[in-house]
């Protein structure tokens, strides 16, 4: 490994619909474009496969882990485009038949699932006509998760979290020291306008690592409006690339040299006492 090692990453932004088939088609187009732009690791947003008309819609299409058309399609996409695919979130079966796990699966270029993270913190928000209670249909996960890949003889440690998780900095301490946190999300427009950017930049600054956020961004068929602003933030908290709204992707590079430089001149991670 050299200090000049880089990893090209992309986050895809979508405006998903109630049709998982249509959403997979849209995701495929964006994955193809991001790969053509040079990405080696590509992240999809939370709920990329379905933004249903009701919370129960995701329960209806849930799959057993390792078996189902959505997972098969994702596996084939990772193989076809030879990328590490952080597959947003998909609904996987839980211990409660009326709920799902909101799960991120990571596929290697060989199609193998090399990591799984089940969303731990479940979003709840009430304001006027807006009322979201993920706990009604989602069973929370319990395990902080990261994974390691090797690209051009260099190891990259990647942390996984999902949307509302970013409000809980203790989770990121539990995950440990990583090169990048990948965060699929579907922030509401209201909460996104207020907190999205500042939370992402804070997580990058305090963990002295990159943050790659892949978001839903627009007006959905079900009437919901999501914030968007998918972005890559560097370990100094600077936004290196972003997409405000609409479908598309952002691309950039993780640089070992920058991570090392920041952690050397300001060794905050070594100064922790708790």
């Amino acid at each position: 490994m050299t200090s000049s090692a880089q990893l090209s990453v992309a986050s895809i932004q979508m405006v998903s619909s109630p049709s998982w088939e249509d959403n997979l088609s849209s995701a495929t187009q964006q994955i193809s474009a991001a790969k053509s732009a040079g990405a080696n690791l590509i992240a999809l947003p939370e709920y990329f496969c379905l933004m249903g008309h009701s919370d129960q819609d995701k329960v209806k299409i849930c799959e057993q882990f390792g078996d189902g058309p959505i997972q098969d399609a994702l596996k084939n996409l990772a193989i076809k485009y030879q990328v590490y695919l952080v597959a947003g979130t998909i609904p996987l079966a839980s211990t409660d038949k009326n709920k799902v796990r909101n799960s991120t699966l990571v596929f290697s270029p060989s199609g193998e699932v090399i990591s799984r993270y089940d969303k731990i913190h479940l979003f709840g928000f009430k304001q006027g006509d807006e009322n979201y209670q993920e706990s009604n249909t989602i069973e929370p996960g319990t395990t902080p998760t990261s994974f390691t890949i090797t690209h051009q003889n260099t190891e990259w440690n990647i942390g996984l979290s999902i949307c509302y998780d970013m409000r809980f900095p203790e989770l990121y301490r539990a995950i440990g020291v990583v090169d990048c946190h990948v965060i699929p999300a579907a922030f509401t427009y209201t909460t996104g306008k207020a907190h999205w950017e500042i939370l992402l930049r804070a997580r990058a600054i305090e963990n002295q690592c990159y943050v790659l956020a892949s978001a839903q961004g627009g007006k959905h068929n079900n009437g919901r409006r999501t914030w968007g602003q998918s972005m890559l933030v560097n370990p100094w908290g600077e936004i290196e690339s972003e997409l405000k709204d609409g479908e598309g992707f952002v691309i950039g590079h993780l640089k070992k040299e920058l991570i090392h430089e920041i952690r050397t001149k300001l060794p905050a991670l070594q100064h922790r006492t708790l």
Side-chain angles (χ1 to χ4, degrees):
M1 184 194 77
T2 66
S3 61
S4 61
Q6 297 187 17
L7 177 68
S8 296
V9 298
S11 64
I12 289 173
Q13 187 160 287
M14 296 179 62
V15 187
S16 294
S17 76
S19 167
W20 67 264
E21 295 94 341
D22 290 346
N23 295 329
L24 273 173
S25 177
S26 296
T28 299
Q29 294 175 25
Q30 296 298 334
I31 291 169
S32 176
K35 174 62 177 180
S36 296
N40 306 117
L41 181 149
I42 299 173
L44 292 167
E46 184 182 27
Y47 299 131
F48 85 93
C49 60
L50 187 76
M51 291 288 280
H53 290 292
S54 75
D55 287 344
Q56 286 296 324
D57 287 351
K58 59 180 171 284
V59 179
K60 295 175 184 177
I61 68 161
C62 81
E63 299 181 352
Q64 294 291 331
F65 176 51
D67 181 30
I70 298 173
Q71 292 172 82
D72 288 344
L74 294 167
K75 171 183 176 179
N76 292 333
L77 286 170
I79 294 171
K80 179 178 180 179
Y81 294 104
Q82 286 296 287
V83 295
Y84 290 95
L85 182 59
V86 182
T89 68
I90 64 173
L92 295 181
S94 75
T95 59
D96 184 337
K97 67 179 181 180
N98 296 312
K99 296 185 178 183
V100 300
R101 290 291 182 105
N102 191 21
S103 304
T104 297
L105 301 181
V106 182
F107 294 83
S108 73
S110 65
E112 177 188 3
V113 175
I114 59 173
S115 190
R116 170 182 172 175
Y117 169 67
D118 296 344
K119 187 176 185 179
I120 292 174
H121 299 97
L122 303 184
F123 180 57
F125 180 76
K126 291 182 180 180
Q127 178 177 286
D129 293 334
E130 289 187 277
N131 185 356
Y132 305 103
Q133 301 298 328
E134 287 189 323
S135 60
N136 290 340
T137 52
I138 295 175
E139 180 181 78
T142 58
T143 307
T145 302
S146 64
F147 65 96
T148 300
I149 62 174
T150 300
H151 177 69
Q152 296 182 345
N153 299 316
T154 300
E155 285 192 349
W156 298 89
N157 299 313
I158 311 293
L160 293 174
S161 55
I162 300 168
C163 199
Y164 191 52
D165 281 331
M166 73 172 72
R167 293 183 181 272
F168 301 88
E170 63 272 19
L171 171 63
Y172 297 85
R173 294 304 195 204
I175 291 171
V177 178
V178 299
D179 297 301
C180 181
H181 283 291
V182 177
I183 309 179
F187 251 57
T188 70
Y189 187 88
T190 302
T191 58
K193 182 178 181 180
H195 300 144
W196 170 257
E197 180 179 319
I198 196 169
L199 285 169
L200 290 173
R201 296 178 68 189
R203 298 295 83 82
I205 292 166
E206 70 194 11
N207 293 291
Q208 298 187 314
C209 69
Y210 286 91
V211 167
L212 181 68
S214 184
Q216 296 280 351
K219 188 67 176 290
H220 301 267
N221 291 349
N222 62 9
R224 180 174 174 180
R225 187 180 180 189
T226 46
W227 175 248
Q229 201 182 6
S230 295
M231 65 173 72
L232 176 65
V233 186
N234 71 25
W236 198 243
E238 299 166 329
I239 299 173
E240 296 203 342
S241 56
E242 65 180 322
L243 175 62
K244 292 293 187 180
D245 56 20
E247 294 198 338
F249 66 92
V250 298
I251 192 164
H253 303 281
L254 309 186
K255 300 175 182 177
K256 286 282 190 180
E257 185 173 13
L258 182 60
I259 297 171
H260 177 72
E261 175 189 335
I262 289 170
R263 292 178 180 176
T264 299
K265 70 182 181 183
L266 180 59
L269 296 178
Q270 297 177 35
H271 293 162
R272 291 175 56 207
T273 59
L274 297 176

